[in-house]
Amino acid sequence: IWQASNLFDAGNRFLLEKMEIVTDRVIVVVDKTVWDFYEDKMQTWAESVGVRLELVVAPGNEDEKTMDNMLFMLDELARVDPLRRSEPVLAVGGGVLTDTAGFACALWRRGIPWCRLPTTLLGMVDASVGIKVAVNYHRKNGVGHFFSPIHTFIDASFLPTVSAADIKSGCGEIMKAALIHDAELFDLMETHGVDLIDTNFDARQEPVANVVIQRSVDAMLECIGPDLWEESLLRPMDFGHSFSRTLEASEQFQLRHGEAVAIDCVMSTMIANVLGLVSDADADRVLQLYAKLDLPCSIAGVTADTYKLATREITVHRDGILRAPLPKGIGACAFVDTFSDDTIDKAFAKLQRFMADHPHTLWDNSRSFNSPYGDGGFEEPPVQDLPSKGPEAPPHFSNNDHGRLLVGR
C-alpha cells in the first residue's frame, strides 16, 4: 500500500514504475463520476508519460455493486484483452467500483493482476485495506472472493471533489478505527474533525488530513493484516458491522455504508457502557464528538427492536456465536459473545436521551444516498481547479516523486 500525492500530475511516473508497465497502454477501470471530474487531467498525464489510457468507464454508485455491473466489466476486459501478467488493471474510484472491478479481475482468466486507487475517503480508510472483492447478490457481498491487488495507491488529492455526504460517510469508518484501536486517532478527530470535514480532508488546507488517513489505514492493517483470509471470526475491525449490515440492507433507511457503520459504532459504544466496558465519561466523549461532527447517532425508524433483530442476524452470520467487538474504553477492544435484550433496551434509551437534547444527531431519511444532497442539507462540491502540480506535501508523506510505503508485499 503506497501513500502518494498528485499521482496524475503531468510527468509523474510513480504509477508506471510501481505497476511495472512495459507496454504503451494502461488499462483503467474508472468510476464514471471520477472520469467526469478528471478526464482532462488523466488524459494529459497519460500523454506526458508516453502511454495511452485503455478505458473501462463504469458506474460506481452504492446501488451499482451488482452482478450486472461486474459482468459488464468482464465483457470490457474481454474487449481490451490484458496481457496475462504484464498489464495489471488499475481500478480508480470509490469502494464500490474497486470491489466490483477487483472481483472481475479475480474471475477473468482465473485471475489477472490488478491495482487499486480509491478516490473517496471511505475507499481510502476502509476499502483500500484487505483482499476481499465482491458484489451484492441476494445479500450484501453475497458473491465474492479473496483476491489481493498487487498495489494499492492512496492519493488524497482526489478528496476536494468528493461530496460532503461521502466525506461524512468516510468519517464513520475513521470513528470505527479510533474507537476500537487508536485513541490518538480519536483525539485527532476531537481536535481537528470539524475543520477536516469543512475542507473535505484537503491536505493543502489541513495537513493533519494525511495523518488521520495514515492512522486509519495503519489501524486496519494492524488488525486485519495477520488474518487477511478471515480464518478467525474474532476480528476487531468487525466493530461497526454487528448492526450495520441490517441497517444498510434495509430499503427503509437507505444508508451509505459509512453512515450505517457510524450508527452501529455509537450504539455499540452505548452497549459497552451498559456492560461496564466504557465509562460514562468516555461514552459522553463519543456522543459529544458525534454531535460536533454532525454524524448520525441514529436514523428515523430505528428502534431497540431493530437492534435485537440485527443481533440475531449477525449471530447466524458469525457461525452461531455473536463475537461482537466492543470498545474497551476508547482505543481498545473486547469481545462479547452475548448481550441481552434488556442491555439493548438500556443502551438505546441512553442514546435516545442524548438525541432528544441533540436532535440533529437523529437523521431523517432525506439524508439517504437516494435523496438529492440538497434535500438533506448537503451540497455537491463545487468543481475546483485541479492544479497541474500541488504544493509540497508534509515531510512524512510523499511528494510527486516518492510514495510512502505503508506495507509491502
Side-chain angles (χ1 to χ4, degrees):
I1 297 177
W2 297 92
Q3 201 151 19
S5 298
N6 303 302
L7 289 172
F8 288 108
D9 273 6
N12 189 344
R13 301 187 62 83
F14 188 86
L15 287 172
L16 300 186
E17 292 169 359
K18 298 308 174 190
M19 294 173 66
E20 300 182 10
I21 298 296
V22 295
T23 65
D24 67 345
R25 66 176 184 169
V26 179
I27 301 170
V28 180
V29 181
V30 60
D31 185 312
K32 182 181 183 304
T33 302
V34 175
W35 186 243
D36 289 344
F37 273 114
Y38 291 95
E39 176 181 359
D40 290 345
K41 186 178 181 71
M42 292 174 68
Q43 292 285 21
T44 299
W45 168 80
E47 293 172 8
S48 76
V49 295
V51 297
R52 60 186 172 88
L53 299 181
E54 191 76 73
L55 286 167
V56 178
V57 181
N61 298 332
E62 295 264 6
D63 56 351
E64 295 286 355
K65 194 176 183 180
T66 63
M67 193 71 77
D68 286 344
N69 196 14
M70 189 272 296
L71 291 173
F72 163 74
M73 292 181 188
L74 283 177
D75 288 340
E76 288 293 280
L77 289 176
R79 176 183 62 83
V80 303
D81 197 18
L83 295 177
R84 188 71 178 87
R85 287 286 176 255
S86 57
E87 285 189 316
V89 173
L90 179 63
V92 181
V96 169
L97 185 287
T98 57
D99 274 9
T100 307
F103 189 31
C105 290
L107 295 179
W108 182 245
R109 301 185 67 184
R110 297 192 185 96
I112 57 173
W114 72 294
C115 298
R116 180 170 51 196
L117 201 169
T119 58
T120 63
L121 181 60
L122 187 142
M124 292 175 191
V125 301
D126 179 46
S128 71
V129 186
I131 63 173
K132 294 188 292 186
V133 293
V135 296
N136 300 333
Y137 188 70
H138 291 295
R139 63 190 305 167
K140 182 175 173 60
N141 297 322
V143 178
H145 196 28
F146 293 96
F147 192 63
S148 177
I150 59 173
H151 295 289
T152 294
F153 304 102
I154 298 176
D155 182 355
S157 69
F158 283 94
L159 293 178
T161 51
V162 173
S163 73
D166 284 315
I167 290 292
K168 288 192 178 179
S169 180
C171 286
E173 288 286 351
I174 293 173
M175 293 301 297
K176 174 192 76 175
L179 285 167
I180 208 70
H181 189 71
D182 188 348
E184 289 187 35
L185 179 57
F186 187 91
D187 294 343
L188 286 170
M189 290 300 289
E190 273 190 320
T191 304
H192 303 285
V194 171
D195 291 335
L196 288 170
I197 291 172
D198 287 347
T199 59
N200 269 43
F201 278 69
D202 186 347
R204 295 171 298 182
Q205 301 179 62
E206 292 291 334
V208 75
N210 282 329
V211 181
V212 169
I213 293 170
Q214 172 209 333
R215 295 193 74 100
S216 300
V217 172
D218 286 347
M220 288 286 289
L221 288 170
E222 289 163 12
C223 289
I224 73 172
D227 185 29
L228 289 173
W229 284 265
E230 297 188 352
E231 294 177 356
S232 170
L233 293 176
L234 293 176
R235 300 189 292 268
M237 286 301 162
D238 275 355
F239 178 60
H241 294 75
S242 294
F243 309 127
S244 62
R245 289 170 58 91
T246 299
L247 298 175
E248 195 176 353
S250 171
E251 293 186 2
Q252 177 183 0
F253 306 126
Q254 296 290 315
L255 290 162
R256 294 171 178 80
H257 177 68
E259 295 165 352
V261 168
I263 291 171
D264 184 317
C265 287
V266 75
M267 178 62 180
S268 295
T269 300
M270 294 302 100
I271 289 173
N273 174 242
V274 171
L275 295 176
L277 295 169
V278 171
S279 68
D280 289 343
D282 281 344
D284 187 62
R285 280 184 72 194
V286 174
L287 292 170
Q288 294 297 335
L289 182 53
Y290 266 64
K292 183 178 177 182
L293 301 183
D294 190 29
L295 295 179
C297 287
S298 191
I299 191 166
V302 171
T303 67
D305 287 340
T306 308
Y307 290 109
K308 294 170 188 176
L309 171 63
T311 300
R312 292 193 293 271
E313 291 180 344
I314 199 64
T315 299
V316 173
H317 177 73
R318 292 174 180 163
D319 205 33
I321 302 174
L322 181 57
R323 309 176 209 266
L326 295 176
K328 187 177 182 181
I330 292 175
C333 177
F335 289 94
V336 174
D337 284 340
T338 184
F339 42 71
S340 67
D341 286 355
D342 182 60
T343 296
I344 292 174
D345 287 332
K346 290 178 179 176
F348 191 66
K350 285 175 176 275
L351 198 55
Q352 284 183 305
R353 288 194 291 272
F354 179 80
M355 291 188 295
D357 292 334
H358 302 81
H360 69 285
T361 63
L362 175 59
W363 283 19
D364 63 60
N365 296 86
S366 70
R367 300 181 79 160
S368 74
F369 68 81
N370 277 342
S371 296
Y373 293 133
D375 288 353
F378 295 121
E379 295 180 355
E380 287 283 13
V383 178
Q384 301 193 16
D385 291 334
L386 302 173
S388 61
K389 180 174 178 62
E392 289 299 319
H396 60 284
F397 281 95
S398 66
N399 57 31
N400 282 343
D401 302 314
H402 306 286
R404 178 179 182 271
L405 179 62
L406 297 181
V407 63
R409 292 183 174 85

